[in-house]
Amino acid sequence: MSTTTSHTSESDGPADGPARSARLIQNESTTEIPVHLLFRDDPDPAPVPVKPAVVGRRQGTGEQPRVRRPVAPRRPVPEVDPGLVERPARVLPGAAGVLAGVCGAAGCVATSWWAGVLPPLALEALRLPAYAGAGLGPAQWAAYAGAGALGLFGLGGLARGRTGRAWVLDLFGRYRGTVRRSGLLWVNPLLLRRRVDVRLRHWRSEPLHAADGSGVALRVVVLVVWRVRDTARAMLGVEDHETYLRECVEAALARVPVEMPGGPRGAGGAAAEALTGLVAADAAPVGLEVFSVQPVRVEYAPEIAAAMHRRRIAQLDARHRASVLTSVVDSVEDTVTRLTMRGLVELDDYERKVLVKDLTVAFCAGRGETAP
């Protein structure tokens, strides 16, 4: 009796003693869960606040998914000067410049006749009457200056416009318009002319760095079909629009995976569509219109090509060895089965194993292989 009481008192402990801490199940990847909550009989227990789980590291079991960091959105290409938009420049027909040049030359001849310095041969050729002249005075020099300026201004502004070519005009750094007309034109000779090709153009790049979906380094040659849509932005909004287009293509190749020609069906078209969209969006603010960016040649990088070549040779060699081994095993099996079924030999397990080994070595030697 006393023993029972003593055991009971020891298991229950003193009532007024210090309370013992509840036993806990520790889980370093989630939180702490009290044991008594797992064995409660209450059908509807009160909710217990639980601290949020903190995942220290991934254990490799797949129970806790890896938290991915949000990818920052791609920043759009900044717009150039909103006022820098292509507009037609004011030009005159070429006949106006020719007329001004002829008038200037005629004025110089008339001034020379007025001053009396025109040679006799010129008088006879032009059928002008002889005139003693008033000499070269201030009035004659002023007439010379005016006629010469008119002639130079008229003839110096003559220009020939060609189909598919345009001129971007600016005066002292200020954009004055674009000339897309063809034929003989007269353009103000004080304006600076920048010739630009506005035809549909294609650019075949040299091998550029790229990667496939697995991150394997590739060399890609792309064909870009494009043209200059806004000459003002292409010539004045960026330093060199052709170099800018090249950099856009290289940046797009760094973001879009390119598959080898023998890859999944449709991968090449998806890569071309993605490249076209990215390059067109980057080139639009500088007045370039991109129609297509097509990979025309895809090959492994030099540092990867040798390894891929060795891998392919190893795969072909493994297939060849597997086919030879399968053929040898089938031949040995067929030979042993025929000998046994026809009653030519009676073999126990040991003799069967020896015969199979000898036949395998013989067949492999006959096929030029080494017995395994």
Side-chain angles (χ1 to χ4, degrees), residues 118-135:
L118 197 64
L121 294 178
L123 292 175
E124 294 179 2
L126 297 175
R127 297 181 181 181
L128 295 176
Y131 180 69

Side-chain angles (χ1 to χ4, degrees), residues 7 37 42-43 71 74 101 124 137 139 144 150 192 195 227 230 242 257 286 291 323 335 364 366:
H7 177 73
L37 295 180
D42 189 359
V71 180
R74 179 171 167 266
E124 294 179 2
Y144 270 128
L150 179 61
L192 179 62
R195 185 180 294 274
R227 70 177 180 182
D230 192 314
E242 295 184 1
V286 296
F291 296 96
S323 63
T335 302
C364 289

Side-chain angles (χ1 to χ4, degrees), residues 18 55 87 334 351 361:
V55 180
R87 62 178 182 271
D334 183 65
E351 293 175 344
V361 172

